[in-house]
Amino acid sequence: MWTGVFPAVTTKFTADDRLDHAEMERCYGLQMEAGCDGIIVCGSLGEGPMLSPDEKIEVLKTAQKVAGKKPVLLTVNEPGTREAASIACRAAREGADGLMVVPSPIYHTDQQETVAALRAVAEAGDLPVMIYSNRLAYRVDVTVDLMEELASDKRFVAIKESSDDIRRSTEIINRLGDRYDLFTGVDNLAFEALSVGAIGWVAGLVTAFPRETVAIYQLMREGRREEALAIYRWFRPLLDLDVSTYLVQNIKLAEVLAIGTNDRVRMPRQPLSGERRKAVEKIVRDALAVRPTLPSLQTSPRSTDRPAAAE
């Protein structure tokens, strides 16, 4: 059902902490013009837990406006199942193409509770669901056994595999074949996951470097592994910024330098400062200084990552 590069987009704010829809439209447009295949809003990178339900729906609508016929998924990451089911219903009413569902990030459910919560959200929204399995960030492991238990419900269509264990991808395929659309959700394991059978990439650094991310995916799809690997090796220091407590600030700073946006975040987060900011800036600037020339692809995306004036 789903395949390709799905950016987990950032949420843009004005100087007075309101949603900046104009800047989101511009930034999301870069993703679409570079050849991304869908958009996921209000996830961890999108600061979803810091947004009100109304704000989440507003961001969803902005992404839908930009994405056209490409799928837009809303992330469900509420702490309680009642609230998660409520936002799932609202997303369905607003025409979301699907949900990416995170087990409660507050209460660490056991296996029975995890299955019951995921089923409740799927039933409430009655939309296709991508299960977000990230035992490191959220301390709830949606194991292959649980995926098999949920497989009888056709609303569960995809897995965002973020266990940080590349063996898990093969285990999913060996056990369940193509029952789920398998996406990698760890930027600095993307090449490895695509090599062993993942058909999609929920990407983070794509928001700053959309053309390079799409090129890696498309080259792998075309069987041009060595060309993809060369870009991936250049990309790795940047991709490592996604695997951090400060991933939101890291990636928003990368966006400042690469696409000329701002790095405003919602408190309690604050933009990077001091030595940490200098370190991330160096990583990004060093990469930009040797940015690779991308090879021709069967479907070449237009070059759209022209920096605007940073605010």
Side-chain angles (χ1 to χ4, degrees), residues 191-210:
F191 180 87
E192 292 83 352
L194 294 170
S195 296
V196 298
I199 63 170
W201 180 359
V202 178
L205 267 298
V206 66
T207 65
F209 295 92

Side-chain angles (χ1 to χ4, degrees), residues 7-177:
V9 292
T10 57
T11 301
K12 292 301 177 186
F13 302 105
T14 63
D16 61 352
D17 199 36
R18 298 178 184 272
L19 295 177
D20 189 342
H21 292 285
E23 185 61 359
M24 282 188 277
E25 284 188 31
R26 186 184 78 85
C27 293
Y28 299 173
L30 298 179
Q31 305 299 302
M32 294 296 96
E33 292 174 19
C36 293
D37 301 283
I39 296 178
I40 300 177
V41 299
C42 305
S44 303
L45 184 55
E47 299 176 74
M50 311 302 176
L51 303 177
S52 71
D54 288 344
E55 286 178 319
K56 284 190 169 187
I57 297 301
E58 289 182 41
V59 175
L60 171 69
K61 290 180 178 179
T62 295
Q64 290 171 323
K65 181 178 179 182
V66 175
K69 294 182 179 180
K70 293 182 178 180
V72 179
L73 280 60
L74 177 73
T75 305
V76 176
N77 47 16
E78 278 61 28
T81 303
R82 179 184 62 178
E83 292 76 17
S86 176
I87 196 68
C89 287
R90 291 188 65 181
R93 289 198 299 269
E94 296 298 340
D97 296 287
L99 307 169
M100 183 170 76
V101 182
V102 181
S104 173
I106 301 299
Y107 174 69
H108 307 126
T109 51
D110 64 22
Q111 292 191 1
Q112 180 180 347
E113 291 169 328
T114 300
V115 168
L118 290 170
R119 282 179 169 159
V121 175
E123 290 171 4
D126 198 26
L127 289 171
V129 171
M130 177 183 290
I131 301 168
Y132 186 5
S133 177
N134 188 336
R135 62 188 180 189
L136 296 182
Y138 301 115
R139 295 174 58 185
V140 174
D141 190 6
V142 184
T143 64
V144 182
D145 286 342
L146 297 190
M147 295 174 196
E148 186 171 29
E149 185 172 350
L150 292 165
S152 59
D153 188 332
K154 294 182 178 179
R155 287 172 290 212
F156 294 107
V157 302
I159 304 294
K160 179 184 176 183
E161 211 302 285
S162 299
S163 70
D164 204 40
D165 181 354
I166 193 60
R167 293 170 295 190
R168 176 71 67 85
S169 296
T170 298
E171 290 165 4
I172 293 169
I173 294 169
N174 282 351
R175 178 85 67 87
L176 297 163

